Structure formats: structure tokens, C-alpha cells
Amino acid sequence: MEVKETITHLKSWFGKQPKAIRQGVAVFLVLALVVGGFSFANAQSACAVVVDGQVAAMAKDQAQAEQVIASLIKENQKKGSNVKPLQNITYQKTKKNGDIASEEVLKQRLSEKLTFEAIASGIKVNNGLKVAVKDKATAEKVLAELKKEYKVGPEFKVDFQEKVAVANVPVETSKILSMEDAIKRLKGENGVPRYHTVKEGETLWEIANKFNVSPEDLQAANPNFTPERMQIGQKIKMIGAADPLLNVVATAEKTVKEETALPQQVRKNAKLPFGQSRVVQKSERGLKEVTYKIVAVNGLETEREVLNVNIIKQAKPQIIERSAQTMVASRGYRPSGAIISPFGKRGGRMHTGVDLAKAYGSPVGAYNSGRVIRAGWYGAYGKCVDINHGNGIVTRYAHLSTINVSVGQNVERGQSIGNVGSTGRSTGPHLHFEVIVNGVPKNPVGYL
Ligand SMILES: [Zn+2]
């Protein structure tokens, strides 16, 4: 009964006070209730969002925090399905006042603290996970696009060199790639161009070699770049420098009609005066039907095997008679064949040599005596031989089907160094011939 007595006592005291004091006390009590009530309510609704044991942000209440996390999950659902945060999230009611984040700030803080995992579609190469994309349909599209890109012609069958599988995998959403990025990653392009700064004494060809790209690709990536005017400190863009994670093999049996031309035959004739020659038989092009088995890896031809040759018309060689007293030739051995693509700019790209029409398998002779400095696969050049003739002159023979020499070997003028082919970036059998003087390709026509 003590409380009741106190209230009765207070009431009687309050009744005895003057009106002004009674009003003042009433206003004070109302204000005290309002202010006190507010701060009491605020202290109750604060909610600490605890991420892996640490307070990440202060929310108005648990419902607000959960709503913000739900919206973050929803945003991550664009990347994959079954999205969930990787961290342990708990909520703690707290009376702590004053530090409650706005919804925007709350979202910002939580997106910094949280990482999400989703079920994505992983592309596995030889059982190793290489890339992950949103779903199975996207993964299949990535693989189909790669095959499509490296299908060299309509008659080609394409397949992957490695064992490829698509499977659902849990992946951090930041590591799930778009279709375009997944294709680039598998092709070995990271999408970010790298730059090389030219150092003293470096040539474009040395740089290309160092980064395992062909000089032709380097030129294509740097269209405004002139090798002759290369300067120390200049930046050169490097592309496609990484190894592909997945290789596409295209194979076809292809039958094509090819013109054939036999090399000149030179006979000596003692009756002819000094320095004179005459044509005793005009050359006539022949025609044959050749069936090849062609293999291209990632769009570059690596093998070409002759399955069948059907001669439709025999070729006749040009026969020349020369005086037995001819001088020693001062010029190089001319690789025979008509120029089908000249030196110089070709569709925005620099063609660093000449393409000579030559039948598949025909022998290729060294331009002059020299030392073999390259004999093997060389990017877009395919099977390639470089011969150093001294005095800063190097000749290059590209797209060969076979190579008969090795690095370090000395060769004589006209000696067979290999056979015509179509390896590397090539649309058909021909000889790509280059003359490189002091590191710069020159028009070979001036040297033939
Ligand atoms: Zn060429």
C-alpha cells in the first residue's frame, strides 16, 4: 500500500501548489516522457550486424539488416544460383546509440565485408576447373563459340584437344565470368593488353620472339608503329601472349585443284657465246587434283598430309640453255614462283615478305650461303627457317611443310632447306620469303 499512499500524498501536494507551477510541472513531465521515450526506443532498436565474430555495421533493427543482405544476394543472383554469403552472420540487439548507419551506408559496409558463393557452371579441362560461368547454357555457348571461331572452313570437323566437361560447382561470385571473358580466358587472352617498353638495341623481331608472338601479330596490334623508327622508351602493345587453356583441333580432308609449275632446267651449251642464254622450251603449267588431310590447332595449320594426287595435266619445265662460260652469279638464288602477294601494307597490316606460288612439297633452296639461325615452329609463320648470310642480311622461309636443316648448320646457295607447305597462318600452300636487313624487313624483290 506504500505506492498508493505516496501517489495520494503527491496528489494532495500538487493540488495545493499555484496554477503556474502546476502547469510547469505538467509540461516538464510530458517533455520528459517524450524525450525519455525516444531515447529508450532508439536504444532498443539498434542492431549490430556481426560478420565472422566482428561487428561490421550498426543497423536500425535486424529486419533492416536482413533486407539489405537479401538485396545483396539478389544482385549476386545475376552471376549464379543458390547464392549465399560465405561468412557467418549474427545479429545482436544493443542499446548503443548514435552510430546507426543509413540503409545506403549499411549496404556499402556489408558488401565490403561479405563475399558470396553461388552454384555456377564450371568448365573443366582435363579434370581441372578453368573457368566458371552463370549456368550450363552459358558454358555450352562458350564452348560452341570457341569451336566456331577455330573452324577453319566449312569442311572442317572441330573438337577439343583436351578432355572437357561442364559441371555445377560452388564458386565465389566475383570469380564467375561473363561469356566474353570466359572465351578470352580459355583462349589465353586476359583481355588486358600488356605493354613492353623498348630498350636500347632491341629490334621489333627480338621483342616478338621474347614474347612468343609473331612480328606480324605485333604489327597488327600496333598499326601506327614503324619498326625503322622504333625508339628507346617507346611502348609496344602485346596481345595474346598467354598459352590457351583449351585447344581447338580442326581436321578436314580437302580436295583442291592446283596449278603446277616445274622449276627451270638450265643446260650448258658450249656453242653459245659468253654470257648468252636462250629458252629452248617454254614452260607450261600443269594441273592436278590434290587431296589433303589438314589439321589446324586454334586456327593455325599444323599438319598437312597428301592423301592422293591426281594429275590432270602434266607441267612442262622451262628449259634454258646457257653459255658454258657464264660468270659466277652475284645475286642470290631466286626462289621460283610467281609473286601472289607482294611486300608492303596489306589490309592495314604489314606484309613483311613476298608470297610465292609454289606447289605443296616442292623444295625450297637457300637464297645464299649462310648459317641457319632458326629452324622450327614460329607462331603465325608455322614451320620456319631463318638463314644469316652475314653483313646484317637474314632470309626467312615460312609456312614450310618440312624442314631439312637445323640451327647452327651451314648451308650452300640453293641448297634445299625444306619443302613448301601451309603451316601457321596460311590459306594454302605457298612460300613466304623475307629478306631482313639489320633487323628490318626489306622488299625481297630488290634482292631476287
Ligand atoms: Zn606472306
Side-chain angles (χ1 to χ4, degrees), residues 131 133 142 176-187 189-191:
V131 294
V133 290
V142 165
I176 300 171
L177 302 181
S178 69
M179 193 180 90
E180 293 74 21
D181 287 344
I183 292 171
K184 277 186 186 164
R185 182 75 60 88
L186 290 173
K187 280 167 77 182
E189 295 168 5
N190 54 13

Side-chain angles (χ1 to χ4, degrees), residues 52-294:
D52 280 345
Q54 286 199 322
V55 177
M58 198 69 74
K60 193 174 81 190
D61 52 28
Q62 185 170 339
Q64 187 200 29
E66 281 175 342
Q67 196 196 323
V68 164
I69 289 166
S71 76
L72 285 173
I73 286 175
K74 204 177 167 199
E75 280 168 22
N76 276 277
Q77 271 163 355
K78 287 175 205 144
K79 298 250 188 163
S81 60
N82 292 18
V83 176
K84 58 174 190 208
L86 280 168
Q87 291 77 11
N88 180 37
I89 306 169
T90 54
Y91 306 96
Q92 273 171 19
K93 262 194 177 176
T94 168
K95 287 186 180 175
K96 200 185 170 215
N97 206 345
D99 193 22
I100 293 169
S102 69
E103 198 166 307
E104 207 181 315
V105 172
L106 188 62
K107 198 171 173 181
Q108 177 63 34
R109 280 197 195 152
L110 288 177
S111 71
E112 280 164 11
K113 297 279 176 195
L114 297 174
T115 45
F116 294 89
E117 185 187 82
I119 299 300
S121 208
I123 298 178
K124 291 182 175 178
V125 178
N126 289 342
N127 297 323
L129 178 65
K130 297 297 175 198
V131 294
V133 290
K134 193 183 172 215
D135 50 26
K136 200 177 173 206
T138 312
E140 277 166 358
K141 195 123 189 265
V142 165
L143 296 174
E145 284 293 319
L146 264 180
K147 280 187 177 175
K148 198 172 130 196
E149 178 163 349
Y150 292 135
K151 189 174 162 75
V152 189
E155 66 276 45
F156 280 81
K157 271 190 222 147
V158 280
D159 213 337
F160 295 112
Q161 202 164 51
E162 298 85 358
K163 195 180 127 212
V164 182
V166 174
N168 280 351
V169 282
V171 188
E172 212 178 283
T173 51
S174 63
K175 291 183 179 136
I176 300 171
L177 302 181
S178 69
M179 193 180 90
E180 293 74 21
D181 287 344
I183 292 171
K184 277 186 186 164
R185 182 75 60 88
L186 290 173
K187 280 167 77 182
E189 295 168 5
N190 54 13
V192 183
R194 292 194 293 140
Y195 289 87
H196 172 75
T197 308
V198 178
K199 291 184 202 80
E200 195 180 348
E202 262 182 341
T203 67
L204 179 72
W205 289 269
E206 280 167 5
I207 297 165
N209 211 359
K210 195 172 156 188
F211 286 89
N212 199 25
V213 293
S214 74
E216 284 168 349
D217 280 347
L218 261 192
Q219 285 265 275
N222 300 275
N224 298 321
F225 177 76
T226 328
E228 289 90 337
R229 281 185 235 137
M230 192 161 84
Q231 282 170 357
I232 298 164
Q234 190 171 357
K235 284 201 162 107
I236 298 177
K237 196 172 170 187
M238 297 287 158
I239 45 159
D243 284 337
L245 299 174
L246 185 56
N247 295 289
V248 181
V249 182
T251 48
E253 272 186 24
K254 197 174 174 182
T255 303
V256 286
K257 281 198 176 125
E258 282 178 8
E259 282 197 323
T260 57
L262 294 179
Q264 273 181 354
Q265 289 177 12
V266 181
R267 290 181 198 154
K268 293 204 169 132
N269 186 339
K271 287 172 192 164
L272 280 174
F274 176 81
Q276 278 201 13
S277 64
R278 63 177 189 196
V279 176
V280 292
Q281 181 180 285
K282 274 190 172 179
S283 71
E284 250 176 60
R285 283 182 183 271
L287 192 65
K288 61 182 178 179
E289 212 173 48
V290 189
T291 305
Y292 295 110
K293 185 189 170 209
I294 303 167

